[in-house]
Amino acid sequence: MELTHEEEEILNGRRGEKLAKVLEVIVKVGEGLEAERLVNVTHAHISGISYKNIGDAGLEFIEKLASSNLRVSIPATVNPAGMDIKKWKEMGVKQDFAEKQLRILGSLRKLGFKMLLTCTPYLYEKIPPGSQVAWAESNAVLYANSILDLYTNREGGPLALLEAIVGKAPLYGYRLEENRRPGLVIDFSDIKRTIKERELYQAIGYYVGTIAKFKVPLIKNYPPSLLQSDNVKLFLAAVGASGSVALVRFHGEEKNLERYRPSIDDIYSALPADFSDEGTILMGCPHLSAHEIQWLANIVKRWGKPKRRVIIFTARVLENSVHKEIAALSRAGIEVYFDTCMVVADLKSMGVDKPLVDSAKAAYYLSSQGYDVRLFSRKDILRVFYGDHV
Ligand code: F3S
């Protein structure tokens, strides 16, 4: 791999042995991927920080890094943890788990990470379009590449952490323009109206990920409502759950590309769960935005307390800006948690056996954790809140 003078100096230990080791790992990964060189990244976002997922091995790795006096060299944020850091007792989290989770967060703070604790950094971090970044959360990666015109691969959590320290990443994959060209077309002409009417944005996302796999899909004839921020968030999260692709194109040249034109049955058959009406409603995968919380608060204002248990997950950064809405939701009996999410927290300890979700990503991961999940469109989940009259 071609290295700059600065990179050679780091590898030679001029800026400390520990930093040299970190860069060595990144260079090795780059060589394995046949990257010609490294590129400077200007922002990092790491996943895999829930004690539930990374256990003692992950805790040790992060504590060791933090105790070596290494620090991030660029702005860097973190994904949700395994619990709400203030209300963990209400979530039924055990003392031992909480202590270990707080140790992970303490070490990340020491390393210089900003404790955003959300999978929607794209709603809060301002990064100029065209920037190379190192993001590890799949829904955020898809949003970064597809909507914000940023450049990132789907980095592994530990790799993104090391890249945050050095501020460099191997130049390969989605960082290169030639790999961002569409590889197939998915044309929604036949079901455009139904997608909008039934709000099937996560369902078509799940279908797109299944069909695209590693190829960049070019989406055609979709309803314009797909690109509204909250809808595209659900859509891209679902693409990232069912496929390995890190970018969706909404415009582009379609000549000579393989073409798919799904029917509504294709969309429903891509869903990993059926409809039902029992269980606990969970919303906020990806984390609910301020706009979604306001929308939910308006619904509750109009229709009153939901008939079922409802739990929502969002980013702590919104705690003040939508505190009135959050208070109204709490008064209606809706449980609101920050810093964590339905997939990386322990739902069993929260007394949830059967999750009812409006996110195909959550349905996918909770099914793989053994939960009996039901997936609804956002429109349908309101019926589950209140019954058919909504
Ligand atoms: Fe976010 Fe957790 Fe879903 S990290 S995208 S809410 S699985």
Side-chain angles (χ1 to χ4, degrees):
M1 185 189 285
E2 203 179 298
L3 296 173
T4 62
H5 179 64
E6 182 208 8
E7 289 155 3
E8 295 281 10
E9 291 224 315
I10 297 175
L11 280 180
N12 289 336
R14 295 262 159 79
R15 284 171 49 192
E17 257 177 53
K18 300 211 167 105
L19 192 64
K21 283 224 166 77
V22 171
L23 186 57
E24 211 176 289
V25 174
I26 295 170
V27 169
K28 280 219 170 95
V29 170
E31 282 170 349
L33 294 161
E34 297 181 2
E36 283 178 15
R37 62 181 177 89
L38 301 177
V39 67
N40 291 334
V41 287
T42 58
H43 188 282
H45 179 78
I46 64 162
S47 62
I49 65 146
S50 165
Y51 178 67
K52 179 186 161 201
N53 294 353
I54 62 174
D56 289 326
L59 165 64
E60 261 172 49
F61 170 71
I62 293 171
E63 280 193 331
K64 212 167 158 192
L65 271 180
S67 66
S68 63
N69 286 328
L70 289 167
R71 296 292 173 266
V72 299
S73 61
I74 52 176
T77 49
V78 300
N79 231 28
M83 61 187 203
D84 183 308
I85 58 175
K86 291 187 186 164
K87 293 200 293 187
W88 55 269
K89 282 192 182 145
E90 283 172 42
M91 295 177 73
V93 172
K94 297 216 167 68
Q95 186 79 27
D96 179 58
F97 182 104
E99 279 171 13
K100 288 180 170 168
Q101 183 64 74
L102 292 173
R103 273 168 60 191
I104 292 171
L105 299 182
S107 293
L108 290 170
R109 198 173 284 120
K110 194 168 165 201
L111 281 162
F113 283 91
K114 181 170 161 190
M115 290 296 109
L116 206 54
L117 296 167
T118 181
C119 50
T120 54
Y122 43 84
L123 298 179
Y124 310 109
E125 298 289 287
K126 298 281 167 269
I127 307 166
S131 305
Q132 293 275 354
V133 299
W135 284 15
E137 156 59 44
S138 67
N139 102 83
V141 166
L142 272 140
Y143 201 99
N145 283 328
S146 313
I147 306 294
L148 301 180
D149 197 25
L150 301 177
Y151 289 70
T152 179
N153 288 308
R154 284 170 71 154
E155 306 289 38
L159 182 64
L161 200 166
L162 301 181
E163 290 168 346
I165 291 171
V166 190
K168 291 173 186 290
L171 183 65
Y172 78 101
Y174 292 92
R175 300 191 180 284
L176 297 166
E177 216 54 69
E178 69 249 34
N179 297 325
R180 296 170 71 95
R181 294 191 195 113
L184 76 161
V185 177
I186 302 182
D187 179 349
F188 290 110
S189 295
D190 297 338
I191 54 172
K192 184 173 173 178
R193 196 195 275 182
T194 318
I195 294 169
K196 182 169 188 275
E197 280 170 7
R198 305 216 44 199
E199 299 180 11
L200 295 172
Y201 307 110
Q202 16 75 311
I204 61 168
Y206 195 84
Y207 171 84
V208 168
T210 310
I211 297 294
K213 297 188 177 76
F214 288 95
K215 287 186 188 165
V216 175
L218 170 63
I219 307 298
K220 286 271 164 182
N221 298 314
Y222 50 84
S225 54
L226 172 65
L227 291 184
Q228 283 165 15
S229 169
D230 299 332
N231 299 337
V232 84
K233 188 157 69 77
L234 277 176
F235 167 76
L236 292 171
V239 174
S242 61
S244 302
V245 66
L247 166 68
V248 174
R249 305 238 69 147
F250 296 94
H251 312 278
E253 184 51 64
E254 56 187 284
K255 241 195 235 161
N256 302 327
L257 292 179
E258 199 180 354
R259 204 176 179 90
Y260 293 82
R261 195 165 167 152
S263 68
I264 202 65
D265 288 345
D266 293 328
I267 299 305
Y268 283 131
S269 69
L271 294 174
D274 295 327
F275 285 71
S276 165
D277 62 355
E278 293 164 24
T280 304
I281 297 170
L282 303 171
M283 296 178 77
C285 173
H287 271 174
L288 295 182
S289 64
H291 179 257
E292 286 170 304
I293 288 178
Q294 283 154 354
W295 164 80
L296 210 50
N298 280 336
I299 297 211
V300 166
K301 194 171 165 194
R302 181 163 176 212
W303 295 100
K305 284 190 178 188
K307 289 183 176 163
R308 308 201 159 272
R309 183 178 179 203
V310 180
I311 307 175
I312 65 169
F313 298 89
T314 186
R316 174 78 60 192
V317 71
L318 295 181
E319 196 176 17
N320 292 331
S321 56
V322 289
H323 69 277
K324 276 192 195 138
E325 289 82 354
I326 287 171
L329 293 174
S330 302
R331 280 196 300 278
I334 294 178
E335 295 159 54
V336 183
Y337 290 110
F338 301 99
D339 316 316
T340 186
C341 86
M342 61 188 84
V343 172
V344 299
D346 182 3
L347 290 184
K348 286 243 154 56
S349 70
M350 297 171 77
V352 178
D353 281 326
K354 190 166 180 179
L356 312 177
V357 299
D358 64 349
S359 157
K361 175 170 180 174
Y364 179 85
Y365 284 105
L366 291 175
S367 299
S368 68
Q369 288 179 19
Y371 287 98
D372 182 12
V373 190
R374 295 291 181 269
L375 173 62
F376 298 88
S377 74
R378 189 152 276 179
K379 201 168 196 173
D380 287 335
I381 210 151
L382 292 182
R383 287 210 191 108
V384 186
F385 265 60
Y386 296 112
D388 263 343
H389 59 284
V390 174

